[in-house]
Amino acid sequence: MNVSAEQSTTHHNELPIVPRPEYPRPQLVREQWMNLNGSWAFAFDDERRGDRERWYMSGQGTFDRQIQVPFTFQSELSEIGDTGFHDLVWYRRQLDISADWNGKRVLLHFGAVDYKATVWVNGKWAASHEGGHTPFTADITDLLEEHNEVVVRAEDYSQDVTLPRGKQYWKEDSASIFYTRTTGIWQTVWLEPVEAAYLQQVKFTPDIDTNEVRIRLFYPETVLQQSAVSALTARLTISFAGEQVTQDEFLVSHPEHFRSIGLHDFNDHGLGRWWTPESPNLYDIRLELLQDGAILDRVDSYFGMRKVSIENGKLNLNNRPYFLRLVLDQGYFPDGILTAPTDEALVRDIELTQAMGFNGVRKHQKMEDPRFLYWCDRKGLLVWGEAANAYSYSEQYVRRFLNEWQEVIERDYNHPSIIVWVPMNESWGIPNVQVDPRQQQHGLTLYHLTRSLDPTRPVIYNDGWEMMDTDLVAIHDYEWREEVLTERYADVDTAVNAMPGSRRIFVGGASYQGQPILVTEFGGIAYKKSDWEGWGYSGADNDEDYLDRLQAVIRPMHLSPIVQGFCYTQLTDVEQEINGLLTYDREPKVPVEQIRAIVMNQPMES
């Protein structure tokens, strides 16, 4: 089966059309599911009465508004559009379960709730989760009745600068590099039925050197109970372009199983089936759990055979040096803020990025919707997976951030498009890292923790500057004069000692150790081509001036003998920033073909 996860059906035709109807978890697709997006009863709780008055009980509380989930109340698409401070909010909706699901376990999934969520079903606690960008699940089977009510309490901490928040501003109005906040549900809410034994998670680790894919399968503890009754077996069927490649079947007797499967289907050294931006080849895999020959669970997934490595100071994709042409992508939308209005909007961003000549994005200060990553996998766009950072340091921040960062690595591990992990950016969360040993050690902890969870991808200690142990040297430099950039990146010593932004590239006694050098923020040319007012790092007066300035900052990156890639700031205008190649409404400011020629260092047609 070709796993596309593109269909917008909910498999429950009686449901009305709902926002964001596409399947929300494309890495683990089941046929039966139910989308809970759409209209929910909603209430602000500014006086913090809800807990005391038990609003989680049926009939309690005044839910005097309606909100369109999964859009936060600050957004226009929520049909509320209130950007004031409301740090405690409540949601409620009625829910009937399909009779087809009788006898099965029912799982309630939340893609993301910002920041802290508590969930009740029929007045009984179902789940709690902290972390505004990662998913969580509740098994609500034992709480269900004939007719059901789900209540969600979401609490944010809008003015806490030690909260992992990304670009969300802690003041009421957006300013500088910070944007409108999001509070509450901002990714899809959904249900799915499963048997008592089912596949919880799968991790794919491709190895192109041995032509194998290593697979780790995770099951709930109930798999032990089921296997004691009768033997459980797992069956894995791998196919490529609709043709079966191999199949493996084995006994399941433990919550975690590991398999290493050879893909003996190449006759061209893998070049025709490896994943690259130019050829985003994907293998489909069906994973089944069986008992006495009957299928208990069936999920469809996919993986890409690709390798990211550093050899002799060169950044390689599939064992060959690969020059990165990235663009900084904030992932904000005028009407949805962090939530894309449609799946098609995510696809359009990717296609525009590629049309302008970029082969990847640095997803900036946002742990992105899995649907975006899915489309990058399919369309061949590289991604730097970056955390949403706090702004200041505290011990509570450390606890919060470590938990959430581990969850996002677990969620996104399988995406072939993700080639680099970026836990820290510009010393956010560690503002005194230059002199504070605690903050230096925190950065080292994140580097080594990330490497321990995923040894297959490079990790950046602190994108921009003030690095210690790091796999890549990632420099931010908003110099706009071509001659200065050309001289600065003519040799390693000049580059690592230049101190752009008056920041040292290395701190804590660390020094350059031969890592690949990339300029991962630069440009930021302001050019007003819409009704939005704003700023940038330098300004253009007309189309010709804009193209000249764009070429002046990008050409030195291509001519440099040491730079192995760049990330231009930025893809779109965002609120008060007008330094995008596109307007906030995703309209190119100058012809796409002209941008593409500059980005790819090709002659520009007149």
Side-chain angles (χ1 to χ4, degrees):
M1 175 181 179
N2 185 10
V3 182
S4 69
E6 296 172 41
Q7 287 73 26
S8 294
T9 177
T10 64
H11 299 278
H12 288 263
N13 294 329
E14 70 274 11
L15 288 177
I17 299 298
V18 295
R20 296 300 303 268
E22 62 280 349
Y23 194 89
R25 189 189 57 199
Q27 278 281 344
L28 206 63
V29 178
R30 288 190 175 90
E31 182 178 0
Q32 284 191 307
W33 70 291
M34 179 179 178
N35 195 321
L36 298 184
N37 291 344
S39 184
W40 288 55
F42 181 78
F44 294 132
D45 190 9
D46 297 341
E47 298 177 358
R48 308 187 76 83
R49 295 163 43 203
D51 294 301
R52 184 174 63 254
E53 297 176 2
R54 302 197 300 171
W55 287 8
Y56 51 85
M57 300 297 294
S58 180
Q60 299 299 307
T62 304
F63 288 71
D64 55 351
R65 300 170 184 262
Q66 295 289 313
I67 190 169
Q68 291 296 314
V69 169
F71 304 106
T72 63
F73 69 79
Q74 293 94 340
S75 70
E76 294 178 12
L77 289 174
S78 72
E79 300 183 356
I80 295 178
D82 184 338
T83 58
F85 288 115
H86 303 286
D87 277 3
L88 185 56
V89 298
W90 294 74
Y91 299 76
R92 172 180 286 164
R93 78 160 278 165
Q94 308 306 309
L95 174 66
D96 288 333
I97 303 297
S98 170
D100 296 342
W101 296 8
N102 288 343
K104 296 186 178 182
R105 310 300 297 180
V106 178
L107 306 181
L108 173 59
H109 301 283
F110 292 83
V113 182
D114 194 0
Y115 171 77
K116 184 177 181 180
T118 307
V119 182
W120 293 265
V121 175
N122 298 324
K124 298 176 182 177
W125 177 87
S128 296
H129 180 262
E130 186 177 25
H133 303 83
T134 49
F136 65 98
T137 297
D139 185 336
I140 63 172
T141 312
D142 298 333
L143 307 178
L144 293 173
E145 301 172 359
E146 183 178 358
H147 302 290
N148 303 281
E149 184 175 80
V150 178
V151 174
V152 179
R153 177 192 190 274
E155 185 170 11
D156 208 355
Y157 307 98
S158 296
Q159 296 174 287
D160 183 353
V161 294
T162 69
L163 190 75
R165 62 192 310 120
K167 287 298 193 84
Q168 301 179 54
Y169 203 20
W170 50 88
K171 297 182 180 180
E172 189 155 351
D173 296 323
S174 299
S176 182
I177 61 172
F178 299 100
Y179 316 135
T180 302
R181 297 172 307 285
T182 55
T183 297
I185 299 169
W186 69 276
Q187 289 184 25
T188 292
V189 185
W190 54 292
L191 293 171
E192 67 175 345
V194 295
E195 299 292 343
Y198 64 97
L199 181 66
Q200 279 186 318
Q201 183 190 6
V202 61
K203 296 181 75 172
F204 303 112
T205 303
D207 187 339
I208 66 169
D209 297 331
T210 61
N211 196 22
E212 295 176 331
V213 59
R214 301 183 183 113
I215 304 175
R216 292 173 66 195
L217 302 113
F218 301 86
Y219 302 95
E221 291 291 336
T222 50
V223 75
L224 298 174
Q225 302 168 7
Q226 293 293 107
S227 61
V229 174
S230 181
L232 293 176
T233 57
R235 183 166 60 209
L236 315 179
T237 306
I238 298 175
S239 60
F240 184 86
E243 294 186 6
Q244 183 172 315
V245 172
T246 189
Q247 189 174 84
D248 188 24
E249 192 163 340
F250 52 92
L251 287 173
V252 175
S253 57
H254 192 270
E256 180 179 347
H257 278 263
F258 170 82
R259 308 297 286 180
S260 186
I261 300 177
L263 302 174
H264 307 294
D265 59 328
F266 295 160
N267 56 14
D268 55 2
H269 302 287
L271 298 180
R273 294 191 175 182
W274 288 348
W275 189 97
T276 67
E278 295 74 23
S279 299
N281 297 305
L282 296 173
Y283 283 80
D284 299 309
I285 180 167
R286 171 161 286 180
L287 307 106
E288 295 170 304
L289 183 65
L290 303 95
Q291 188 165 44
D292 297 328
I295 296 174
L296 296 181
D297 193 23
R298 174 184 288 161
V299 298
D300 291 304
S301 189
Y302 65 91
F303 60 89
M305 293 296 290
R306 68 102 184 87
K307 176 184 177 183
V308 184
S309 61
I310 297 171
E311 303 288 343
N312 299 317
K314 296 293 185 181
L315 179 63
N316 293 336
L317 180 65
N318 297 340
N319 295 322
R320 292 168 173 79
Y322 196 90
F323 191 85
L324 297 181
R325 304 184 306 274
L326 310 181
V327 66
L328 196 76
D329 183 356
Q330 310 273 8
Y332 273 70
F333 297 85
D335 48 3
I337 312 180
L338 286 182
T339 310
T342 63
D343 203 42
E344 290 74 20
L346 296 173
V347 174
R348 176 168 167 76
D349 276 5
I350 293 169
E351 291 177 343
L352 282 168
T353 298
Q354 293 174 314
M356 291 187 291
F358 296 100
N359 55 24
V361 293
R362 178 176 162 223
K363 206 67 190 189
H364 190 41
Q365 287 298 303
K366 182 184 182 186
M367 298 155 177
E368 188 54 277
D369 186 329
R371 291 292 306 183
F372 177 84
L373 300 173
Y374 161 74
W375 283 114
C376 289
D377 294 340
R378 285 183 63 80
K379 290 184 170 292
L381 189 68
L382 300 171
V383 178
W384 283 24
E386 182 173 327
N389 291 140
Y391 201 61
S392 294
Y393 184 85
S394 73
E395 292 182 7
Q396 185 179 40
Y397 144 75
V398 170
R399 176 188 63 80
R400 286 170 165 170
F401 185 71
L402 285 176
N403 290 340
E404 190 168 16
W405 182 238
Q406 290 178 82
E407 288 179 353
V408 83
I409 294 172
E410 181 176 289
R411 187 196 72 174
D412 296 342
Y413 180 90
N414 290 339
H415 290 285
S417 57
I418 295 181
I419 61 165
V420 175
W421 291 120
V422 187
M424 303 294 291
N425 167 72
E426 290 188 349
S427 304
W428 288 26
I430 50 172
N432 296 323
V433 67
Q434 180 175 331
V435 296
D436 187 341
R438 291 191 312 160
Q439 296 184 22
Q440 293 173 1
Q441 292 300 317
H442 175 61
L444 288 171
T445 297
L446 285 169
Y447 170 81
H448 290 291
L449 172 67
T450 307
R451 293 286 291 165
S452 74
L453 295 172
D454 182 2
T456 72
R457 293 175 171 97
V459 179
I460 296 174
Y461 176 95
N462 183 18
D463 204 301
W465 46 61
E466 297 179 334
M467 288 168 257
M468 294 181 67
D469 288 356
T470 187
D471 295 326
L472 304 175
V473 175
I475 301 172
H476 296 180
D477 189 344
Y478 283 102
E479 173 60 53
W480 56 273
R481 293 167 295 179
E482 182 173 4
E483 64 276 12
V484 175
L485 289 171
T486 301
E487 182 179 356
R488 183 172 292 169
Y489 296 101
D491 62 71
V492 169
D493 288 341
T494 305
V496 299
N497 292 296
M499 292 182 65
S502 300
R503 301 290 191 113
R504 291 186 175 92
I505 302 302
F506 291 97
V507 296
S511 61
Y512 180 67
Q513 300 296 319
Q515 302 98 323
I517 294 173
L518 301 97
V519 179
T520 52
E521 276 191 39
F522 75 114
I525 303 165
Y527 189 26
K528 180 177 169 57
K529 290 296 285 277
S530 69
D531 294 334
W532 291 83
E533 299 288 344
W535 66 278
Y537 294 91
S538 65
D541 298 324
N542 52 54
D543 287 6
E544 183 179 1
D545 184 31
Y546 183 70
L547 289 167
D548 287 344
R549 288 175 178 271
L550 190 64
Q551 189 164 55
V553 295
I554 291 181
R555 183 158 48 196
M557 303 299 111
H558 284 289
L559 296 179
S560 168
I562 64 165
V563 171
Q564 297 188 36
F566 60 77
C567 180
Y568 180 81
T569 304
Q570 61 184 337
L571 180 63
T572 75
D573 293 349
V574 184
E575 299 193 1
Q576 69 279 354
E577 292 187 28
I578 57 169
N579 50 15
L581 296 164
L582 313 173
T583 68
Y584 205 8
D585 292 322
R586 276 53 179 181
E587 293 299 324
K589 293 184 177 180
V590 293
V592 165
E593 296 77 13
Q594 293 179 316
I595 297 174
R596 182 182 182 87
I598 293 172
V599 168
M600 299 190 70
N601 197 33
Q602 296 173 345
M604 195 173 354
E605 296 181 6
S606 58

